[in-house]
Structure formats: structure tokens, C-alpha cells
Amino acid sequence: MHVVVNAAMSADGKLSSRRREQIAISGDEDFARMDRLRADSDAVVVGVGTVLADDPHLTVKEESLIADRRDRGEPAHPARVVVDSTGRTPLDAAVLDDAATTYVCTSERATIDDRMDLSNRAELITAGDDRVDLLRTFATLQGQGLDRIMVEGGGELIFSLFEVGLVDELRVFVGPKVIGGRDAPTLADGEGFVAEFPTLELEGLERVGEGALLTWRTAER
């Protein structure tokens, strides 16, 4: 399995405003790059916070990329995966439509009723007591043939993936905005590391529109 975290952040490292509202950080060139990365993936993963804030569809937009996937014998869109420990994914969320297979990953904290409701709209994976056990969950996804994984956020999920050593590659578009705010989400939220910080090796740096795309690999992998 190869896990790529892809994100767009402001020049001061924020994913959105303190109100958790979606902000256009990147432009058309980066959107096209992200669409190509989606098209090359077996699954696209987000946390439930991203679903609640943005209601993303998580599908490939460019018709030629969809055609290329079909030519390779793949579904039109990658599978969609929502990491949702307590079963908060709305049943009318865009990610639960029938455009592609969707997996909702919960823990035992989610009520039986919520899990039953979600299982009627998606493939349900339950792993972990209080929080989703990411190692078990990603192993289950790999068992379904999902080897090329793209993670689109948010910051809590990205931190948790680094915490358990699941990230192979980090691609970050840094856009020409300053958002500010001590409570605004950052690339890796969560509790934060105090020792044994994950180390990255820079693989690429390029200008994209008015911003910059940085590509790192995790040094220990």
C-alpha cells in the first residue's frame, strides 16, 4: 500500500479559517493536479470533519481521466473512505451517493443505530474502541484491493496517520494567502508530537500558479 497525503494550505500553514469554512487556497492548475492524483488512486480518504464542513463529492472531474480509468478496467471513480469514529456522517452527504463505492469507518463508540443506518448507504468498517484503529482499517482497505491511497484531510486525520506511521508521501500546495487564527486548522492537528518527530525528505519543489507545490517522502519508509 502507498499512502499519499495531499493538502492545500495558506502561506501561514492553515487549511481553512477559524470558522472551519472552506477557502479557495489554490487555483485551476492545482485543482487539475489534484484531479489527476485522484484519478490515479484506488481510494480517496477524508475525515468526518471534512465531510461536515465541505460536503465533498470526492469524484474525478475531468472526463478524459474518467475515460482513462475505464480503459484500464477500473471504476470511473476511486472508492471513497470516510474516517468517522462516532458515526456522524449525514445520511444525505454527497459522499454517500451512488457515484462510487464508499466505505465509512467507525469505532465501537458509534451507536448500533447509526452504524445500521450508515451500512444501508455505504460499506461499513468498524475497528477500534473509542477511535478508528487506522492500522486495522487500512489493512482492511488493502484487503479490498485498494493499494493506492490518497488522503485529502483534514488536519486531525493527517496527524493520526503520521502518528501510526501510515504516510508514505506528503504533497502540499502552499498558496498566496495568510489566514491566521490560533484556532484555525493546520496541516497536522491532533495532540501533536513532543518527541520522535516524523522526518521528511524533500523530493520536489515547483511553482504552480501563484503558489508552490512541495513533495516529501517520509524518511523512515
Side-chain angles (χ1 to χ4, degrees):
M1 175 179 280
H2 186 81
V3 178
V4 179
V5 172
N6 183 81
M9 69 181 187
S10 63
D12 59 327
K14 306 297 185 181
L15 299 184
S16 67
S17 73
R18 59 185 172 84
R19 295 179 178 175
R20 308 275 166 161
E21 298 169 337
Q22 190 173 25
I23 294 174
I25 294 173
S26 58
D28 290 344
E29 289 181 64
D30 191 58
F31 288 142
R33 177 195 64 83
M34 184 176 69
D35 204 33
R36 291 192 297 272
L37 184 56
R38 274 187 190 170
D40 288 338
S41 301
D42 296 322
V44 179
V45 183
V46 296
V48 67
T50 297
V51 172
L52 294 173
D54 302 335
D55 194 25
H57 202 204
L58 302 181
T59 53
V60 178
K61 305 299 186 278
E62 175 58 49
E63 289 296 331
S64 64
L65 296 175
I66 294 173
D68 288 344
R69 286 182 60 88
R70 286 178 168 147
D71 288 344
R72 297 195 299 265
E74 298 175 351
H77 307 285
R80 302 168 296 188
V81 180
V82 181
V83 177
D84 178 6
S85 292
T86 57
R88 294 184 292 153
T89 302
L91 296 180
D92 61 351
V95 76
L96 295 182
D97 70 8
D98 59 2
T101 300
T102 300
Y103 296 83
V104 177
C105 311
T106 68
S107 74
E108 297 291 346
R109 282 181 61 197
T111 67
I112 296 295
D113 286 345
D114 284 340
R115 279 186 266 167
M116 287 291 293
D117 288 342
L118 288 168
S119 70
N120 290 327
R121 302 297 307 276
E123 299 294 324
L124 191 70
I125 298 173
T126 302
D129 295 328
D130 294 321
R131 297 172 57 193
V132 170
D133 184 322
L134 292 172
L135 290 173
R136 286 170 54 194
T137 295
F138 274 57
T140 299
L141 295 174
Q142 188 173 27
Q144 296 297 312
L146 306 176
D147 291 311
R148 299 167 297 168
I149 307 296
M150 175 186 182
V151 178
E152 294 194 18
E156 296 277 347
L157 175 60
I158 292 171
F159 171 79
S160 296
L161 290 169
F162 272 110
E163 188 177 31
V164 296
L166 278 171
V167 179
D168 295 287
E169 189 175 347
L170 174 64
R171 302 183 188 184
V172 181
F173 174 84
V174 182
K177 281 186 171 68
V178 174
I179 295 174
R182 64 178 60 88
D183 296 324
T186 64
L187 180 70
D189 284 334
E191 294 182 3
F193 297 103
V194 294
E196 298 183 5
F197 306 99
T199 302
L200 306 175
E201 295 176 348
L202 185 64
E203 284 215 329
L205 171 60
E206 61 181 292
R207 180 166 182 162
V208 177
E210 293 302 312
L213 175 67
L214 295 94
T215 302
W216 286 282
R217 287 188 182 272
T218 48
E220 64 272 18
R221 298 181 72 84

